[in-house]
Amino acid sequence: MHALEKEKLPRLSLGEGRNMVTHLMVVNLTIFVFLFFTLVIYQMEQVGEPRFHQDIMTWLRLPADPSKLLTRPWTLVTSLFTHISFWQIFSNMVWLWCFGTFMQHLAGYQRILPLYLFGGICSNLVYVAAMQLIPSFHALAANEYALGAAGSIMAIAVGVTTIAPRYRIFPLLAGGISLWIITLVFVILSVGALMASSSYGYTYIPGLAGGALAGWFFMYQWKKGTDLGAGFNRLTFKLTHVFHPASQRINPDDFKKKNSQADAEQQPYRRIGKVPEQKLNEILDKINENGLASLTAEERDTLLRASKTE
């Protein structure tokens, strides 16, 4: 894992087809804008903000009362994409961009969405459980709720730190800053923001802890060779391609693995310095799918030689 620290962090391009971080940010921001303008309409029509929360937010945010949760279980997921405060959406998207970029670079884009959902759902379940099991919280459970991507982002932050705690950014700044330090700052700021947000902000801390534990478990298993999100990714691909022509229902990732050797024999090689262009493209595709940790020592050396010719 130390070899990862020598690699450059690629830019997070908004136009990249497999940039799951960008897709998540777009979904979160779109929902926020929709809710914001809906609230404006409620206020212009003099219906009032309380009616807005009753008509719309009640069906999106996670209730702390299990009896209410049973009547709208979908809020375990919808609450992960629901923000109503500008500073909440702003800070969450900044941290999602930050840690999502690291995760996508080190472990591949296919880890982002499964971990986002897994970490967020675990965070929500821990939050609801804590509101029932902790006596001082239980008295508040009837009227409290949770929303936002904080638990999911905590899972991504702890998850990427699990696989590369000494990964360094800003290498020109005194040798760089280790990833675990960035994560520690994020945890401190997140807890501090909760404590300062309201008198009952401390009730959300167990949820963050649940997201952190889920992120550690997910990526610890991945590090050991077990991809907990593989089944979800296959199901997602099938669902999103169910109405596509038969030729497009084949997962390109699976197809590429089966035909990589045949493609290598058919396609001409153009050299970039001392490295064939096709070989370099294969390495970059492998990084995008499975992260830098999946590269062999020979592939890392090839990538390093190619970078010296730029």
Side-chain angles (χ1 to χ4, degrees), residues 116-277:
Y116 184 95
L117 294 175
F118 178 73
I121 292 174
C122 288
S123 173
N124 282 343
L125 291 175
V126 171
Y127 167 74
V128 174
M131 293 297 288
Q132 299 303 308
L133 299 177
I134 300 177
S136 60
F137 292 6
H138 183 67
L140 307 171
N143 300 314
E144 288 298 305
Y145 58 86
L147 54 81
S152 297
I153 299 170
M154 182 64 72
I156 295 176
V158 174
V160 70
T161 307
T162 299
I163 62 173
R166 288 184 290 276
Y167 184 87
R168 293 182 179 273
I169 62 173
F170 306 124
L172 298 180
L173 184 62
I177 304 175
S178 296
L179 180 57
W180 70 267
I181 296 178
I182 304 297
T183 304
L184 180 61
V185 172
F186 167 64
V187 172
I188 293 174
L189 291 178
S190 297
V191 173
L194 288 178
M195 298 297 290
S197 61
S198 68
S199 302
Y200 307 120
Y202 58 87
T203 59
Y204 299 104
I205 295 179
L208 289 182
L213 183 61
W216 169 83
F217 178 76
F218 190 98
M219 293 310 298
Y220 178 75
Q221 292 297 317
W222 178 82
K223 191 176 180 180
K224 291 173 58 178
T226 302
D227 186 0
L228 298 179
F232 174 83
N233 285 326
R234 286 193 294 268
L235 177 62
T236 301
F237 181 85
K238 290 180 180 180
L239 291 177
T240 55
H241 290 74
V242 66
F243 297 113
H244 287 216
S247 59
Q248 298 181 14
R249 296 177 194 168
I250 302 175
N251 193 323
D253 298 325
D254 298 335
F255 181 81
K256 181 162 51 181
K257 291 176 184 177
K258 295 179 181 178
N259 296 276
S260 58
Q261 185 174 358
D263 291 343
E265 295 176 356
Q266 296 175 4
Q267 297 180 7
Y269 276 69
R270 184 171 69 87
R271 303 187 73 83
I272 299 179
K274 297 181 179 180
V275 180
E277 181 185 30

Side-chain angles (χ1 to χ4, degrees), residues 18-218:
R18 293 181 173 178
N19 195 327
M20 189 57 66
V21 177
T22 300
H23 297 335
L24 282 174
M25 291 176 64
V26 169
V27 170
N28 276 281
L29 289 170
T30 301
I31 294 175
F32 170 75
V33 171
F34 170 78
L35 292 175
F36 175 78
F37 280 106
T38 303
L39 175 59
V40 170
I41 293 174
Y42 266 71
Q43 293 175 334
M44 290 177 60
E45 295 295 329
Q46 298 182 348
V47 178
E49 185 172 345
R51 183 67 179 274
F52 165 78
H53 286 279
Q54 178 183 346
D55 292 348
I56 297 178
M57 296 303 296
T58 299
W59 304 101
L60 297 176
R61 64 195 184 191
L62 177 80
D65 188 344
S67 61
K68 295 180 180 178
L69 177 60
L70 290 175
T71 63
R72 37 185 184 270
W74 59 84
T75 57
L76 283 170
V77 176
T78 58
S79 61
L80 306 179
F81 301 91
T82 303
H83 302 79
I84 197 61
S85 164
F86 171 78
W87 290 112
Q88 183 189 34
I89 186 69
F90 175 78
S91 61
N92 279 349
M93 292 305 99
V94 168
W95 287 114
L96 175 60
W97 175 83
C98 175
F99 291 110
T101 303
F102 298 148
M103 179 65 78
Q104 192 158 272
H105 180 53
L106 296 173
Y109 75 98
Q110 292 182 327
R111 250 51 63 195
I112 302 297
L113 182 58
L115 181 53
Y116 184 95
L117 294 175
F118 178 73
I121 292 174
C122 288
S123 173
N124 282 343
L125 291 175
V126 171
Y127 167 74
V128 174
M131 293 297 288
Q132 299 303 308
L133 299 177
I134 300 177
S136 60
F137 292 6
H138 183 67
L140 307 171
N143 300 314
E144 288 298 305
Y145 58 86
L147 54 81
S152 297
I153 299 170
M154 182 64 72
I156 295 176
V158 174
V160 70
T161 307
T162 299
I163 62 173
R166 288 184 290 276
Y167 184 87
R168 293 182 179 273
I169 62 173
F170 306 124
L172 298 180
L173 184 62
I177 304 175
S178 296
L179 180 57
W180 70 267
I181 296 178
I182 304 297
T183 304
L184 180 61
V185 172
F186 167 64
V187 172
I188 293 174
L189 291 178
S190 297
V191 173
L194 288 178
M195 298 297 290
S197 61
S198 68
S199 302
Y200 307 120
Y202 58 87
T203 59
Y204 299 104
I205 295 179
L208 289 182
L213 183 61
W216 169 83
F217 178 76
F218 190 98

